[in-house]
Amino acid sequence: MTLPRLLWVPALLGFAVIVLPVIGLLDRVEWARLPALVTSDAALSALGLSMQTAAMSTLVCLLLGGPLAFVLARSDFRGLRVLRSLVLLPLVLPPVVGGLALLYLLGRNGFLGQLLGVQLPYTTAAVVLAQTFVAMPFLVVSLEGALRTAGERYEAVAATLGAGRWTVLRRVTIPLLLPGIGSGVVLAFARALGEFGATIAFAGSLQGTTRTLPLEIYLQRESDVDAAVALSLLLVVIAIVVIVVARPRAVEGLR
Amino acid sequence: MKRMSVLLSLLLIAACTSGPEKREVTVFAAASLKDAFTELEKSYEASHPGVDVRISFGGSSDLAQQIVNGAPADVFASASPSTMDTVAKADLIDGRAEVFAVNTLRIAVPQGNPKGIRTLADLTKPGTALVLCAPQVPCGAAAKQVAMAAKLTFKPVSEEPDVRSVLGKVAAKEADAGLVYVTDVLSAPGKVEGVDFPESADAVNEYPLALLKKTGQAQLAREFAELVRGQAGRDVLTRAGFGPP
């Protein structure tokens, strides 16, 4: 289909709104100091922690959000629509609200925190939990969409040929779904990597334990704007690598 | 009657849009000045009919960055000389920045002081969840100074990016103690209690105020600065917990 030419104008403007700020950031980078700034102790520690926690929260998202997507896409019960909307809550809540909610649930005065008797705030586990909270919907939504697009025909055929429920899931549904899983994983990872508000509110900020790259950037801008910009660039590069390189492969490569 | 009200609203519109009556002074002020400056804004507006004081409160370094990047401010009241220097280096200050108040550290504990904290050394006791500001921000630098003066090593569970986050963690009882400013303790009555310690005298935080260039309201800005530095300002600032320069 050929598009009306006029559509290009708002389309390009929309693209500019997204891309121009990044160019503004590039313009502000102190290239001479860049290598030193992104390899400082604090920067490397924050980068390492960010990669670790984002990987772990993506895994948790997959283990819990995957089955959740299956339930949302394939089952039918009263309240399913409400459930589906509630899953989207972290997308519309400001992350800092999510962090406060986690704090009041699992903090030392939160009812679940008291019930379990664990001290979660100020730990790396709290960072993972905060990231899982904000990233989960990305995985669930993209997986659920993929499940709906794939339809149930092949599953029905497999079932008529005598395959049990687990066999259908393992041999038919999941292989068909791999591109969707890949794209959901990449989105969840990217969101977890950029997480700030929920982390600072729930986990606090301590180098090597809870201070991820976004928290380090927020702190550095107080004292050294060049360092904050350099670390922002690092985060942008990682994010671009993740979404540009990994995502199309995950979506298209396996077709 | 209807015609009357139309006439009245036309008059009102005219009053709102006509030139000299509507004047604005824009003040950028450190977040810790919120209570004091809000009160001073009211008394300034009462003595300057037709003048609207607009105050933007925020972290001093954020405000300094905004000013350097062209934000329209007439007055800048910062919580640290170093952030004021950022603006001064960009050659945006009219005249010189002058210190108008000082703030000192105080230990904040949750209401009732459950861990029985009495001294600075109590903050290093095992099992005490201590929250500080990160050393990169003024309150964290001050915390480092008092620790050095008292020859103590703090092991905080978190180093927050600003002092209000420290206060929030203590008020929510997620921390047993935090080092904040005297003014922060006074701003959260019923939630946190303050514990004074003699070493706080080793880290006095100065608040400079400056008039900015490129302002269309130099005279009004000057009068606001005079109010802050004068006796009325002194009284309001003292009540909020600030010390004299």
Side-chain angles (χ1 to χ4, degrees), chain B residues 61-196:
Chain B
S61 54
D62 282 339
L63 295 175
Q65 283 299 322
Q66 289 169 15
I67 293 171
V68 170
N69 286 301
D74 301 312
V75 179
F76 181 34
S78 137
S80 75
S82 68
T83 47
M84 188 58 86
D85 281 349
T86 309
V87 179
K89 273 188 201 133
D91 195 25
L92 293 170
I93 288 178
D94 180 17
R96 274 182 33 171
E98 274 178 53
V99 175
F100 67 97
V102 298
N103 212 346
T104 47
L105 290 182
R106 198 179 219 184
I107 301 169
V109 294
Q111 190 70 25
N113 196 354
K115 290 271 172 166
I117 285 163
R118 299 270 165 268
T119 67
L120 198 62
D122 287 349
L123 300 183
T124 60
K125 280 198 290 196
T128 305
L130 172 68
V131 175
L132 300 177
C133 289
Q136 288 91 333
V137 294
C139 53
K144 213 169 153 183
Q145 266 178 320
V146 297
M148 265 160 58
K151 298 193 171 59
L152 292 169
T153 310
F154 293 136
K155 293 229 162 47
V157 292
S158 180
E159 293 178 341
E160 301 286 328
D162 60 78
V163 69
R164 303 302 292 191
S165 308
V166 176
L167 190 74
K169 290 269 182 342
V170 175
K173 297 186 180 151
E174 291 299 332
D176 298 318
L179 278 177
V180 299
Y181 292 118
V182 172
T183 51
D184 297 309
V185 176
L186 290 179
S187 73
K191 297 246 164 126
V192 304
E193 286 177 20
V195 178
D196 287 316

Side-chain angles (χ1 to χ4, degrees), chain A residues 103-104 107-110 121-122 200-207 210-211 216 218-223 225, chain B residues 59 61-62 65 83 115 129 131 134 136-138 156-162 165 169 172-176:
Chain A
L103 190 64
Y104 295 136
R108 54 160 82 161
N109 295 298
Y122 312 126
I200 190 102
F202 179 49
S205 172
L206 193 67
Q207 186 177 331
T210 51
R211 190 175 295 151
E216 177 69 23
Y218 187 74
L219 181 63
Q220 283 298 346
R221 91 200 192 298
E222 290 275 349
S223 55
V225 180
Chain B
S61 54
D62 282 339
Q65 283 299 322
T83 47
K115 290 271 172 166
V131 175
Q136 288 91 333
V137 294
V157 292
S158 180
E159 293 178 341
E160 301 286 328
D162 60 78
S165 308
K169 290 269 182 342
K173 297 186 180 151
E174 291 299 332
D176 298 318

Side-chain angles (χ1 to χ4, degrees), chain A residues 22-207:
Chain A
V22 179
I23 294 175
L25 187 74
L26 286 178
D27 184 47
R28 181 64 183 71
V29 173
E30 289 277 341
W31 298 100
R33 284 183 69 203
L34 186 68
L37 290 174
V38 295
T39 52
S40 71
D41 258 9
L44 290 179
S45 148
L47 176 65
L49 186 69
S50 267
M51 298 306 265
Q52 271 174 37
T53 51
M56 281 175 66
S57 55
T58 306
L59 186 67
V60 179
C61 281
L62 188 63
L63 292 178
L64 304 179
L68 181 55
F70 277 97
V71 168
L72 291 179
R74 288 285 190 267
S75 60
D76 187 20
F77 55 88
R78 274 165 66 106
L80 184 67
R81 288 179 58 180
V82 179
L83 196 71
R84 189 173 288 134
S85 318
L86 286 178
V87 168
L88 298 179
L89 209 52
L91 285 182
V92 288
L93 278 183
V96 67
V97 174
L100 287 175
L102 284 168
L103 190 64
Y104 295 136
L105 176 72
L106 286 160
R108 54 160 82 161
N109 295 298
F111 73 89
L112 200 57
Q114 281 186 336
L115 202 71
L116 299 173
V118 288
Q119 287 291 318
L120 220 48
Y122 312 126
T123 64
T124 306
V127 178
V128 173
L129 191 56
Q131 290 175 346
T132 306
F133 177 82
V134 296
M136 183 89 83
F138 285 85
L139 191 116
V140 174
V141 168
S142 67
L143 214 54
E144 197 199 338
L147 270 167
R148 287 178 182 283
T149 317
E152 296 182 50
R153 283 165 302 159
Y154 293 106
E155 294 166 17
V157 170
T160 58
L161 294 174
R165 289 182 183 189
W166 280 107
T167 313
V168 171
L169 188 71
R170 219 177 62 238
R171 306 287 296 272
V172 179
T173 317
I174 292 181
L176 276 173
L177 210 62
L178 277 179
I181 294 175
S183 131
V185 160
V186 167
L187 278 179
F189 182 80
R191 178 64 189 93
L193 198 64
E195 214 310 294
F196 172 77
T199 310
I200 190 102
F202 179 49
S205 172
L206 193 67
Q207 186 177 331

Side-chain angles (χ1 to χ4, degrees), chain B residues 7 11 14 22-23 32 45 54 64-65 88 136 144 179 203 207 213-214 223 227:
Chain B
L7 195 68
L11 269 174
K22 191 197 169 219
R23 292 182 300 169
S32 44
E45 283 171 350
R54 292 159 21 114
Q65 283 299 322
Q136 288 91 333
K144 213 169 153 183
L179 278 177
Y207 282 57
K213 287 179 179 171
K214 293 182 199 163
E223 282 166 21
L227 174 70

